Amino acid sequence: MNTAAPEAMPGSSELESGSPGSRKGRILAWAAWDWGSAAFNAVMTTFVFTVYLTSKAFGGQDQASAALGAALAVAGAAVAVLAPVTGQRSDAAGRRRLWLGVNTAAVVLLTGLCFFVFPRPEFLILGVTLIALANVFFEFAAVNYNAMLTQVSTPRNIGKVSGFGWGMGYLGGIVALLIVLQLFVQPSFGWFGASTAESLNIRLVAVFSALWFFVFALPVLVAVPELPRSARGSGLGLFASYGLLFRRIKAIYRTSPHTIYFLLASAIFRDGLAAVFTFGGVIAAGTFGFELKDVIVFAIFGNVVAAAGAMLGGSLDDRIGPKSVIVASLAGLLLAGTAILLLGNGNHHVLGVDWTGTTTFWVFGLFLCLFVGPAQSSSRAYLARLAPHGESGELFGLYATTGRAVSFLAPALFTLCITLATPFVATGQAQRWGILGIMVVLLAGLLALLPVKAPDKAEIAVVPAA
């Protein structure tokens, strides 16, 4: 049974009040969760299962896509409302690891149940419901997982540890995707899992993804201990927890306003970062003429570069600070995006070298991947540095909420820019201008971040106990 831990001094951070050192075993165990979760992110929700759900087998691409979009929108709203309170309650109860395990188990179960989504229209609702629910529990798990960053790192290596975790996630996605391609999607040899009857091969991808996540999620649940139970907010009912949440938000704004400013700025640029991956494959195929196999090959190389960028950025984070890394990364993204927008799929002669549209996308697309990783990693490390003692879960819950609140920005501007460009450009050339919409979001996030203090210059919030 957990006992209440003595309270840290007001204004102290959870990172600084934690253990003076971090262990390599715990870091590896923690990062293994990121490696395993890539099977859900890359395989289930990006490249394979959602593509299967929006195929003609489920009653038409338009109808299926609309159903999936609606289900994910409801899931996003649920995360926005519930994430901060779930983080708060796990902090107070000293059950951060427990709830990471419970929510991860829910994702694994729901992912495995996708095996029963047969390729018929009547199974569409089941499929989108399972994916949407899995997304909700995945976000809840991520709140506790991100909060545990302060338990496996120190003020001297938190950037490096965060970058290592992001890098493991990217690399895990590559390995999982390659296995899925070789065994299920384009099998290299004949076996029962290669059968396309009733889409057995794709449905077995769900089973594989569930097992992959389950196996690699186990180490963190064994190696990283629970925090002591806190007296702050423990024993509150659900509705009382919301009252405490709003009082704490007011207290954070009053005693550490730059924490709130960062949450708002990061919500904007994180939406732009997500859009880079969401629409990258779409632009590669639609504007630059990549075939599906070419998109997958680029995705593999892109993830390798993103992993390298995250790890390099993590090391720089500890030396020059997370804000500098994020600002440099956003600037790099804007430069690379501008090059893709201006050069397009045309042929150019640069310094005596013939430069094709394919070359343009490969070069500057990989630069985009290089800068996405550090921005994501340092954003997490930035917030962890500002988390008051025992409040990391609640703060990362707010991190998820603010991100969800503006998640419409990049998709909306991407669509708007294409719509506005359509009457003025040749057929098939308007999609490229959707890049401008993503760049506007990234620029807005960068401008919002510039006046925000670096974490070593910002006060740690003092929040009420109840």
Side-chain angles (χ1 to χ4, degrees):
M1 180 176 179
N2 288 330
T3 58
E7 295 298 319
M9 292 295 293
S12 65
S13 71
E14 182 169 312
L15 180 65
E16 292 175 338
S17 58
S19 60
S22 58
R23 302 176 185 175
K24 291 183 179 180
R26 286 184 181 178
I27 294 172
L28 288 171
W30 176 79
W33 189 93
D34 241 329
W35 174 284
S37 70
F40 179 73
N41 286 326
V43 177
M44 294 297 291
T45 65
T46 302
F47 289 110
V48 180
F49 203 80
T50 51
V51 175
Y52 166 65
L53 277 180
T54 54
S55 65
K56 294 180 180 179
F58 291 91
Q61 293 173 324
D62 292 342
Q63 176 186 343
S65 297
L68 178 63
L72 292 177
V74 172
V79 171
V81 171
L82 297 173
V85 169
T86 58
Q88 174 201 109
R89 293 169 71 84
S90 67
D91 283 342
R95 294 177 177 174
R96 190 177 288 169
R97 182 178 66 178
L98 171 65
W99 284 108
L100 173 62
V102 169
N103 289 314
T104 299
V107 177
V108 168
L109 176 61
L110 291 164
T111 300
L113 288 175
C114 288
F115 173 79
F116 298 102
V117 180
F118 291 87
R120 293 191 287 275
E122 58 267 29
F123 285 91
L124 174 62
I125 298 302
L126 173 63
V128 298
T129 300
L130 289 173
I131 288 293
L133 283 174
N135 267 277
V136 171
F137 285 106
F138 182 85
E139 291 288 351
F140 290 167
V143 166
N144 289 293
Y145 173 74
N146 288 334
M148 292 176 91
L149 173 59
T150 59
Q151 295 174 245
V152 298
S153 62
T154 69
R156 296 182 61 184
N157 70 359
I158 184 172
K160 185 177 181 180
V161 172
S162 181
F164 179 68
W166 273 108
M168 288 285 281
Y170 286 125
L171 295 177
I174 296 170
V175 176
L177 191 58
L178 285 173
I179 293 173
V180 164
L181 287 173
Q182 293 299 313
L183 291 183
F184 304 101
V185 178
Q186 295 178 345
S188 299
F189 57 91
W191 69 296
F192 80 92
S195 172
T196 58
E198 290 283 85
S199 296
L200 176 64
N201 60 327
I202 303 300
R203 291 188 293 117
L204 281 175
V205 166
V207 177
F208 165 81
S209 298
L211 291 174
W212 180 274
F213 196 3
F214 173 76
V215 169
F216 289 105
L218 289 177
V220 70
L221 302 177
V222 176
V224 182
E226 289 281 26
L227 287 177
R229 183 176 179 271
S230 172
R232 305 176 66 85
S234 60
L236 292 179
L238 180 63
F239 291 107
S241 294
Y242 279 101
L244 177 58
L245 172 66
F246 293 131
R247 290 195 298 275
R248 285 179 172 170
I249 292 174
K250 290 180 181 178
I252 292 171
Y253 182 74
R254 185 175 63 253
T255 60
S256 180
H258 285 269
T259 299
I260 300 297
Y261 300 155
F262 176 74
L263 284 170
L264 297 176
S266 72
I268 298 171
F269 70 69
R270 282 185 288 130
D271 186 45
L273 297 176
V276 171
F277 278 112
T278 301
F279 297 110
V282 174
I283 293 171
T287 298
F288 291 88
F290 280 36
E291 299 292 338
L292 177 59
K293 61 184 175 71
D294 300 321
V295 173
I296 293 174
V297 170
F298 178 84
I300 292 170
F301 279 92
N303 274 5
V304 171
V305 171
M311 294 181 184
L312 176 61
S315 296
L316 290 174
D317 182 306
D318 293 322
R319 297 178 183 178
I320 64 176
K323 180 180 176 180
S324 297
V325 172
I326 298 171
V327 169
S329 297
L330 293 178
L333 285 162
L334 289 169
L335 290 174
T338 299
I340 293 175
L341 176 64
L342 296 180
L343 294 176
N345 195 29
N347 295 322
H348 305 276
H349 195 69
V350 181
L351 299 175
V353 178
D354 290 330
W355 190 279
T356 66
T358 299
T359 304
T360 294
F361 191 83
W362 268 99
V363 171
F364 293 105
L366 289 179
F367 268 112
L368 287 174
C369 296
L370 178 68
F371 291 118
V372 164
Q376 291 174 321
S377 170
S378 288
S379 183
R380 175 168 64 186
Y382 190 118
L383 190 63
R385 286 179 168 95
L386 292 177
H389 178 77
E391 307 293 331
S392 289
E394 184 175 66
L395 202 58
F396 275 107
L398 289 172
Y399 189 68
T401 292
T402 52
R404 289 289 183 171
V406 301
S407 60
F408 66 91
L409 279 177
L413 288 176
F414 179 82
T415 303
L416 177 63
C417 287
I418 293 175
T419 302
L420 293 176
T422 298
F424 302 101
V425 299
T427 302
Q429 294 298 311
Q431 187 195 62
R432 169 165 60 114
W433 290 93
I435 299 170
L436 180 60
I438 299 174
M439 291 171 59
V440 168
V441 175
L442 292 171
L443 178 61
L446 173 59
L447 294 176
L449 177 65
L450 289 177
V452 180
K453 290 182 179 179
D456 60 340
K457 298 179 180 178
E459 298 294 328
I460 303 297
V462 179
V463 297

